[in-house]
């Protein structure tokens, strides 16, 4: 049975007031403020705590904490949109420049002019959408914490002729807090993390960016 902290029972962070996720967490995913008291942590003492503490003392931990994982798929999707947006803006400027060579009334109806305006406007829209997607993916702080994978499950979504799989890993941290974090499947060549695996979890909000195995 999961023991909730007083902050979890209230459903909001006592520091920033943001609504907390349904699963118990030890830090607010919005402001990274601690949500548990010493009494909370002692009440949630786990049989896994000694093993997780050994991760904290491991010689490889400083290197693992210094490393920064690649961002998640939403960040890279936003970067791709921004790239295409900048290219369309450049194409639009070139086309409007070509139209500007013409003079008189013919210039106002030149196909190159209207194609240029359309390309530039579409590029601005894609660029803004991409930047927004990148900002949204980074709205939570990056946390690097010793953890143990307790369990995992997966959900597969079929879209047309293809599909995507999202894994959900239940993690326990050194303070006894537990939570479920989503991790995007990278294809059949990618082997998902195993249960009972100790290491360092790299997360943003409820998304798991990477899990680095530490042998203890």
């Amino acid at each position: 049975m999961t023991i909730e902290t007083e902050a979890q029972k209230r459903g909001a962070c006592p520091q920033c007031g943001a609504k907390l996720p349904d699963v118990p967490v030890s830090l607010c995913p919005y402001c990274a403020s601690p949500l548990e008291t010493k009494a909370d942590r002692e009440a949630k003492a786990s049989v896994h705590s000694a093993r997780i503490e050994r991760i904290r003392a491991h010689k490889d931990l400083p290197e693992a904490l210094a490393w920064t994982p690649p961002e998640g798929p939403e960040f890279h999707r936003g970067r791709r949109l921004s790239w295409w947006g900048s290219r369309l803006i450049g194409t639009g400027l070139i086309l409007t420049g070509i139209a500007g060579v013409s003079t008189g009334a013919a210039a106002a109806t030149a196909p190159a002019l209207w194609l240029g305006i359309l390309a530039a406007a579409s590029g601005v829209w894609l660029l803004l959408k991409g930047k927004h997607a990148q900002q949204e993916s980074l709205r939570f702080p990056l946390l690097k914490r010793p953890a143990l994978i307790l369990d995992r499950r997966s959900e597969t979504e079929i879209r047309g002729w293809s599909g995507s799989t999202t894994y959900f890993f239940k993690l326990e941290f050194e303070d006894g807090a537990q939570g479920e974090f989503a991790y995007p499947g990278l294809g059949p060549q990618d082997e998902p993390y195993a249960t009972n695996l100790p290491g360092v979890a790299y997360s943003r909000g409820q998304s798991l960016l990477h899990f680095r195995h530490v042998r203890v």
Side-chain angles (χ1 to χ4, degrees), residues 17-179:
K19 184 179 183 299
L20 296 173
D22 294 334
V23 295
V25 289
S26 58
L27 296 175
C28 172
Y30 295 90
C31 68
S33 298
L35 297 176
E36 298 176 316
T37 64
K38 181 179 179 181
D40 291 327
R41 293 191 291 271
E42 291 175 350
K44 295 172 69 176
S46 164
V47 294
H48 306 296
S49 59
R51 191 178 182 196
I52 300 174
E53 286 174 6
R54 290 201 296 272
I55 302 173
R56 174 63 64 184
H58 199 277
K59 63 180 180 62
D60 293 339
L61 183 65
E63 179 186 350
L65 295 179
W67 182 72
T68 298
E71 294 296 340
E74 284 303 310
F75 177 87
H76 293 291
R77 174 178 171 271
R79 189 163 65 177
R80 288 193 299 271
L81 289 176
S82 298
W83 187 89
W84 282 110
S86 62
R87 295 305 181 275
L88 277 175
I89 292 173
T91 301
L93 292 176
I94 291 173
L95 290 174
T96 52
I98 292 173
V101 175
S102 302
T103 57
T109 58
L113 175 65
W114 294 108
L115 285 174
I117 293 174
L118 179 61
S122 299
V124 170
W125 180 78
L126 282 178
L127 183 63
L128 293 177
K129 186 175 181 179
K131 294 297 183 184
H132 177 73
Q134 288 179 290
Q135 292 173 356
E136 279 294 297
S137 70
L138 300 176
R139 69 187 185 278
F140 300 122
L142 173 62
L143 302 180
K144 308 174 183 181
R145 295 176 285 177
L148 181 71
I149 297 179
L150 301 181
D151 197 8
R152 78 180 188 191
R153 63 183 181 87
S154 63
E155 293 181 1
T156 300
E157 182 180 0
I158 304 299
R159 297 177 180 174
W161 296 100
S162 63
S164 61
T165 298
T166 301
Y167 294 94
F168 295 89
F169 292 95
K170 184 178 181 181
L171 305 179
E172 180 172 326
F173 301 99
E174 58 186 328
D175 57 3
Q178 297 180 4

Side-chain angles (χ1 to χ4, degrees), residues 1-4 43-44 170 178:
M1 182 179 69
T2 301
I3 301 175
E4 295 183 318
K44 295 172 69 176
K170 184 178 181 181
Q178 297 180 4

